[in-house]
Amino acid sequence: MAQPKGTVVLAYSGGLDTSCILVWLKEQGYDVIAYLANIGQKEDFEAARKKALALGAKKVYIEDVSREFVESFIWPAVQANALYEDRYLLGTALARPCIARGLVGIAQQERAAYIAHGATGKGNDQVRFELSCYALCPKIKVVAPWRLPEFYQRFPGRRELMDYAKKHGIPVPVTPQTPWSMDENLMHISYEAGILENPKVINRSRQPRVGGVSGCVCSLIGNFTAGPPGEVPPPPPARVPVKVTNTGDGATRSSALELFVYLNDIAGKHGVGRIDIVENRFVGMKSRGIYETPAGTILYHAHLDIEAFTMDREVRKIKQGLSLKFSELVYNGFWHSPECEFLRECIGRSQESVVGTVRLSVFKGHVYILGRESPRSLYNEELVSMNVQGDYEPADATGFININSLRLKEYHRLQSKVTVKQDE
């Protein structure tokens, strides 16, 4: 029998890894408290509680943090137009610091010295969980079984883990017939590992429910106006989505959680936000992932459109650079870093004028922007019109073009000299 080692709070999902880890931690002498965060995944939480207790957990905490996840993590990402490597909307990366905050809270409440997780030693999540936990509670100690030789040498693969589960009577949802991992939250569903590690294999884990040829375009209106602030609120009111209206049936959703769930449902039916990519992990290797991000994809396009409509050109250029850095920091696990806090404040400040309504439709995997309006619009119809001269003198463009062409003329004059000299 192992010597008692104290209390550990385990980030528990009820899947293969964390169920086996719970039993393994008990074998090592830990008192295990299971923590399960409800961040919008479709799960029988009461069944998960009973399972954890049956496996020997001392206590089980199940917290519904779905609203917090939307308001404090997803909304700042929407404001940033956060996109990692031009495609990934950061569904998992945003969820980890939210879960870590709950883990640390329970550890402090229970006076536990340890936190444990089931993230692998090759992935990003180990970094995200642990950097967040250390930032929020510097004295906490993290137990990462997949980095301990006594664990990963005993369980070199999924087969050994499933054999262990069978031996200890641990019911698990993963079978050799469906050998991939799935992670779900409000922001997205991801599929990876197993047979999907071969980038040529077609993912058949879930086919998008695409609408038919006719009668399935759903027009929506989203307002970006003053709403609840993010985790680190900027000085002006935070500009976040506050209402979505289906112009087909008049259905309206106003609360952050309700409108996000509604958009997930509408966009999911049309296969919006499904991508299959190879990305660069923070730890230095490439990995293949399949993601479904329905609501996040709609809001990305809607926000991008209203931002371009209302934000000064040069401010937007700077903000795009901030967004790129923000995305990298979030992906790499630095949500709770001082630089990421600073970026969230800067991005929040840039959103002061981003207010208005976007009309869009979703159809067969695509989001189509149909129109927009805003009281803070920088679009001047009279100024841009081809039919009205407005407050613009066309003759002024001659000098503008001459000044800008000067640099080009000098460059090509020099190039001509060099070419002639070379020919000689």
Side-chain angles (χ1 to χ4, degrees):
M1 191 72 179
Q3 292 293 320
K5 294 182 179 176
T7 300
V8 60
V9 179
L10 170 66
Y12 178 75
S13 69
L16 174 65
D17 288 31
T18 56
S19 295
C20 291
I21 286 172
L22 194 161
V23 175
W24 184 83
L25 287 170
K26 284 184 59 62
E27 288 181 347
Q28 308 311 303
Y30 292 99
D31 289 327
V32 182
I33 294 175
Y35 174 78
L36 178 54
N38 175 0
I39 48 176
Q41 67 272 38
K42 295 178 179 64
E43 186 169 334
D44 187 336
F45 292 101
E46 191 53 40
R49 181 195 301 277
K50 291 178 181 177
K51 179 179 178 180
L53 291 172
L55 295 177
K58 182 180 176 182
K59 290 182 182 179
V60 179
Y61 286 90
I62 299 176
E63 281 192 318
D64 186 347
V65 294
S66 51
R67 179 179 174 182
E68 176 187 356
F69 181 42
V70 174
E71 294 181 349
S72 297
F73 294 88
I74 294 177
W75 280 174
V78 170
Q79 289 182 326
N81 301 322
L83 204 60
Y84 180 71
E85 294 189 337
D86 303 318
R87 291 187 287 178
Y88 176 41
L89 286 164
L90 300 167
T92 300
L94 290 167
R96 295 319 182 221
C98 182
I99 296 171
R101 198 154 69 178
L103 272 174
V104 168
I106 297 302
Q108 292 174 331
Q109 179 181 322
E110 292 287 340
R111 298 186 178 181
Y114 303 92
I115 280 174
H117 60 76
T120 72
K122 290 184 177 181
N124 295 308
D125 281 346
Q126 57 178 339
V127 183
R128 296 163 179 161
F129 274 128
E130 294 180 38
L131 290 182
S132 290
C133 288
Y134 289 137
L136 296 171
C137 186
K139 294 183 179 180
I140 203 73
K141 298 174 184 177
V142 176
V143 180
W146 283 114
R147 295 206 307 270
L148 299 175
E150 60 268 32
F151 187 87
Y152 65 72
Q153 289 175 3
R154 183 177 178 183
F155 306 109
R158 284 289 191 267
R159 170 60 63 186
E160 290 77 13
L161 212 56
M162 285 190 276
D163 290 342
Y164 180 81
K166 184 177 180 181
K167 179 181 176 182
H168 290 82
I170 303 171
V172 292
V174 177
T175 67
Q177 287 72 41
T178 56
W180 52 65
S181 296
M182 186 184 86
D183 181 69
E184 180 183 14
N185 60 50
L186 272 171
M187 185 67 165
H188 83 172
I189 300 175
S190 66
Y191 305 93
E192 63 179 6
I195 63 171
L196 300 179
E197 288 173 354
N198 182 342
K200 294 189 297 183
V201 171
I202 297 174
N203 171 44
R204 302 188 185 280
S205 57
R206 180 179 173 189
Q207 295 300 320
R209 295 174 294 164
V210 181
V213 175
S214 62
C216 60
V217 175
C218 181
S219 296
L220 302 167
I221 297 176
N223 294 332
F224 288 84
T225 55
E231 185 186 23
V232 182
R239 301 297 189 179
V240 298
V242 297
K243 185 171 72 171
V244 58
T245 300
N246 186 325
T247 58
D249 60 14
T252 297
R253 303 291 187 277
S254 298
S255 75
L257 186 56
E258 284 182 338
L259 76 83
F260 201 85
V261 170
Y262 182 69
L263 287 178
N264 265 336
D265 181 56
I266 292 294
K269 290 177 180 178
H270 291 272
V272 167
R274 185 181 173 91
I275 60 172
D276 184 329
I277 65 172
V278 173
E279 67 200 59
N280 289 294
R281 286 180 180 170
F282 187 32
V283 295
M285 64 188 76
K286 292 185 184 291
S287 66
R288 190 257 190 109
I290 292 92
Y291 303 106
E292 297 179 19
T293 318
T297 301
I298 282 184
L299 291 173
Y300 172 82
H301 288 288
H303 180 265
L304 195 64
D305 187 80
I306 199 69
E307 189 175 76
F309 192 48
T310 58
M311 186 177 285
D312 175 77
R313 181 186 70 181
E314 297 305 314
V315 172
R316 189 164 181 265
K317 286 180 182 178
I318 295 172
K319 194 257 181 178
Q320 284 177 305
L322 298 180
S323 297
L324 179 62
K325 185 62 179 178
F326 172 84
S327 302
E328 291 178 352
L329 289 174
V330 173
Y331 184 87
N332 293 341
F334 289 92
W335 179 274
H336 292 290
S337 67
E339 62 270 31
C340 196
E341 289 181 359
F342 172 74
L343 281 178
R344 290 200 297 276
E345 289 198 38
C346 290
I347 290 169
R349 176 67 178 80
S350 76
Q351 300 298 291
E352 185 176 2
S353 65
V354 183
V355 52
T357 300
V358 182
R359 184 185 294 268
L360 54 85
S361 68
V362 291
F363 184 62
K364 286 195 171 184
H366 295 282
V367 178
Y368 299 95
I369 301 297
L370 305 177
R372 77 287 295 159
E373 60 181 333
S374 169
R376 301 293 297 272
S377 167
L378 292 175
Y379 181 90
N380 185 329
E381 188 173 353
E382 182 180 273
L383 182 62
V384 78
S385 175
M386 296 297 182
N387 298 316
V388 181
Q389 183 169 320
D391 190 19
Y392 180 80
E393 181 55 60
D396 291 343
T398 302
F400 176 79
I401 294 169
N402 287 337
I403 291 296
N404 277 281
S405 69
L406 180 63
R407 175 177 61 90
L408 304 180
K409 291 176 181 178
E410 289 303 298
Y411 172 78
H412 287 285
R413 181 181 62 79
L414 177 61
Q415 291 300 106
S416 298
K417 283 185 176 181
V418 171
T419 302
V420 171
K421 191 171 184 180
Q422 288 175 344
D423 290 342
E424 293 175 352

